[in-house]
Amino acid sequence: MSRGKFFLTTAIDYPNSRPHIGTAFEKIGADVQARYRRQQGYDVRLLMGNDENTIKVVERAEALGLEPKPYVDDMARQFREVWDALEISYDDFIQTSEERHRIGCQQFIQRVYDAGDIYKKNYEALYCEGCEEFKTESQLNAERRCPNHPQRDLKLVQEENYFFRLSKYGPRLLEHYAAHPEFIQPESRRNEIVSLVKSGLEDISISRRDFTWGIDIPWDAEHKIYVWFDALLNYITGIGYGTDPALFARYWPADVHFIGKDITRFHCALWPAMLWSAGVELPRQVFAHGFVYLKNETTDEVQKISKSLGNVIEPLDIVRKFSSDAFRYYFMRECPFGGDGEFSFTRFAGSYNGDLANNLGNLFSRTVSMALRYFEGQLAGSQSIAPEEIFAGIDLPAVVAEIAGEIEDCRYAAALELIWRQVLDTGNRYIEEQKPWLLASPGKPEYDLEACRRVMVNLAEGVRVAAILVKPFLPDAAAKLYAGFNYPTPFAEATFATAARRPVLTEDLRVTAPLTDDGKVTPLFPKIDLKAEPAAGKK
RNA sequence: GGGCCCGUAGCUCAGUCGGUUAGAGCAGGGGACUCAUAAUCCCUUGGUCCCAGGUUCGAGUCCUGGCGGGCCUACCA
């Protein structure tokens, strides 16, 4: 029942410092898309990795008394530890120091060379080792230093380097943007790139001399391939370009590259030009997400996340304390993926308690505990009950389709809002309207055990729908919701299409949720006691 | 200097092609309920849609000019 392949990537990260919540934002957004596509039956591949062929890697390794390779391997282990904790479902993790990357890289650059798009040129310029970029006079600050790294002296570098004829691809890029408006998303990033390319592209230096770490230019071993040319190629070497033709043919071209908005031009101008030159098909889309800033709760200041400001939040701290689902939910609901977002503990706690603990978690708790209390967990006769009442007020198939559309457009916050307002609120409202506690109470005039049973079957259906819809965002909670009752379809087969269509029950429904020792439902998201979190808010 | 985006309720944000009385969540106020994690449900207060012009029968939406905020880029990297 495969619906075709879906290949998506995240930007590869510099392993100079540990991942922070901003880095995590991108990976979560990519993972939601990957999980959603898998759920719908696509042959999905999510590729991530680290960008290791940089001068800073050598410096950091030296400072720690290590060789570069053991250093980057250990950093890769640390990154994967964080991604695993966040339940990022990557299928492969490429390190650019790997042999498969070198082989594919060299093969690719040779093809570009053979196509006549690489030439040698002598130049002299100031080089910033912090940015690993050459700087023009106009970019310098008053002390004639790089504004990003004012503590470093710039190096006057004079050497012969190889250049890629980026300039010649300008017109073709503009044609491509016009013919494929979806290629650069969101819209504002696209406008920026169009204007940049219209203003004219320069040829770009793609090699460095005298580096000991990195990939050799195949026809001239005195030169190493320079950062960007090397880094971008991970997207194809990571699925077997030059080493595994079958895998490459299966997944390329990428359906979407997820990147930070700061590196849009490399992905939307340089990368397509490189691919054209080497005769490789272009990716279908580049999605540039925004940045996450920190809101200082005492001053209300919004600040960048940086080591020098000392405001780096370890994703693992939040995950260990509140769960990966809680972490994922906050960023997907509170930070629009295409724009910037901000993090503060107060907002995190508000979203957690309100949306996760109260609306979602408590809907599950009250449903299961009523089924236990009134029917000892056994909903006899549920096979013959059609749960048509709970979603009678909404057009569920239309809502599900709308949610799917929002996820496909990476409008995750909008998708979650729909799930909460349309589906979960409807469930809670249904309980208030039906008042099952009256239906189950022998002394009351409303007493009607059969009606109560019907309500419970409807609620079990509501939980089923909720579990399916939150699955890409909250994999753990979704599994717990779905494990609440003995639904006939294995969760792995529960696509969005099945959300709006109740499966045929092979046996009556019964509670299968794990219970505490005193027979109660385990809360999905235990509430955060704000009074018990004094230090967290100051962070 | 050139360019892009944003400015809507106390807060975070929707608002489609210009079309009725500008919406949601949270927060605030009032009420109901007791299955549930003091949850949930109902009602409700709250807006100079940044400002000034313009186009139009009609502008939050389009145009011009300001103000404020963010970002990209800046005469060979």
Side-chain angles (χ1 to χ4, degrees), chain A residues 57-209:
Chain A
V57 158
V58 179
E59 290 175 359
R60 283 286 297 160
E62 268 174 18
L64 295 169
L66 293 171
E67 288 298 308
K69 184 59 177 165
Y71 169 72
V72 296
D73 287 349
D74 185 62
M75 287 307 292
R77 184 191 58 74
Q78 292 186 42
F79 272 71
R80 294 175 71 154
E81 183 185 29
V82 175
W83 304 146
D84 290 341
L86 287 171
E87 306 200 48
I88 309 298
S89 60
Y90 54 93
D91 298 285
D92 200 350
F93 190 94
I94 188 167
Q95 299 176 240
T96 58
S97 62
E98 284 177 59
E99 187 64 0
R100 59 171 168 162
H101 182 65
R102 182 191 64 78
I103 292 168
C105 235
Q106 290 187 325
Q107 186 171 317
F108 186 95
I109 202 170
Q110 185 69 52
R111 290 188 69 169
V112 176
Y113 187 61
D114 294 344
D117 280 340
I118 292 177
Y119 62 96
K120 211 171 190 181
K121 185 165 130 184
N122 200 4
Y123 75 101
E124 178 181 295
L126 293 167
Y127 186 78
C128 172
E129 291 184 327
C131 300
E132 305 202 40
E133 267 180 16
F134 287 96
K135 298 289 168 183
T136 63
E137 289 293 328
S138 55
Q139 286 176 310
L140 307 184
N141 64 16
E143 287 85 41
R144 288 182 47 79
R145 288 182 171 181
C146 168
N148 300 328
H149 301 87
Q151 68 278 30
R152 281 175 185 257
D153 277 325
L154 292 169
K155 264 192 178 169
L156 184 66
V157 176
Q158 179 179 20
E159 63 182 42
E160 269 198 323
N161 274 343
Y162 289 100
F163 278 71
F164 172 62
R165 293 187 201 278
L166 178 59
S167 60
K168 86 175 205 192
Y169 289 98
R172 191 169 171 188
L173 284 165
L174 290 172
E175 280 169 33
H176 188 74
Y177 303 151
H180 303 278
E182 75 291 346
F183 179 66
I184 309 174
Q185 288 294 317
E187 194 71 26
S188 63
R189 297 275 96 77
R190 180 171 174 272
N191 294 341
E192 269 177 24
I193 295 298
V194 168
S195 123
L196 173 81
V197 174
K198 271 186 182 158
S199 75
L201 294 169
E202 300 294 334
D203 289 348
I204 181 170
S205 163
I206 58 163
S207 75
R208 294 291 178 271
R209 279 185 78 130

Side-chain angles (χ1 to χ4, degrees), chain A residues 221-278:
Chain A
E222 287 187 0
H223 290 260
K224 303 285 189 204
I225 300 174
Y226 164 68
V227 177
W228 271 108
F229 211 89
D230 161 342
L232 288 163
L233 288 169
N234 92 87
Y235 299 132
I236 58 174
T237 62
I239 49 163
Y241 180 86
T243 53
D244 187 344
L247 187 69
F248 184 70
R250 181 171 165 188
Y251 288 112
W252 193 258
D255 293 273
V256 54
H257 292 308
F258 288 106
I259 59 161
K261 63 183 184 180
D262 54 330
I263 53 176
T264 314
R265 62 198 175 113
F266 298 108
H267 285 78
C268 298
L270 174 59
W271 180 225
M274 285 166 61
L275 291 168
W276 277 326
S277 180

Side-chain angles (χ1 to χ4, degrees), chain A residues 1-8 27-46 87-91 255-256 258 328 332 397-412 415-416 419 467-475 478 491-499:
Chain A
M1 67 158 285
S2 179
R3 299 176 60 176
K5 65 89 189 174
F6 200 90
F7 177 45
L8 60 170
K27 315 308 175 196
I28 295 169
D31 184 62
V32 167
Q33 192 64 226
R35 285 178 183 272
Y36 166 79
R37 298 286 174 172
R38 265 188 220 108
Q39 189 182 3
Q40 312 324 318
Y42 287 85
D43 172 19
V44 169
R45 195 163 183 96
L46 170 59
E87 306 200 48
I88 309 298
S89 60
Y90 54 93
D91 298 285
D255 293 273
V256 54
F258 288 106
R328 295 165 62 99
M332 291 299 97
V399 170
V400 171
E402 201 181 347
I403 293 164
E406 299 290 21
I407 296 175
E408 284 165 20
D409 291 344
C410 299
R411 291 165 47 99
Y412 301 133
L416 288 169
I419 296 171
I468 293 171
L469 296 179
V470 300
K471 191 181 177 190
F473 301 92
L474 313 172
F491 200 30
E493 294 166 23
T495 64
F496 267 38
T498 68

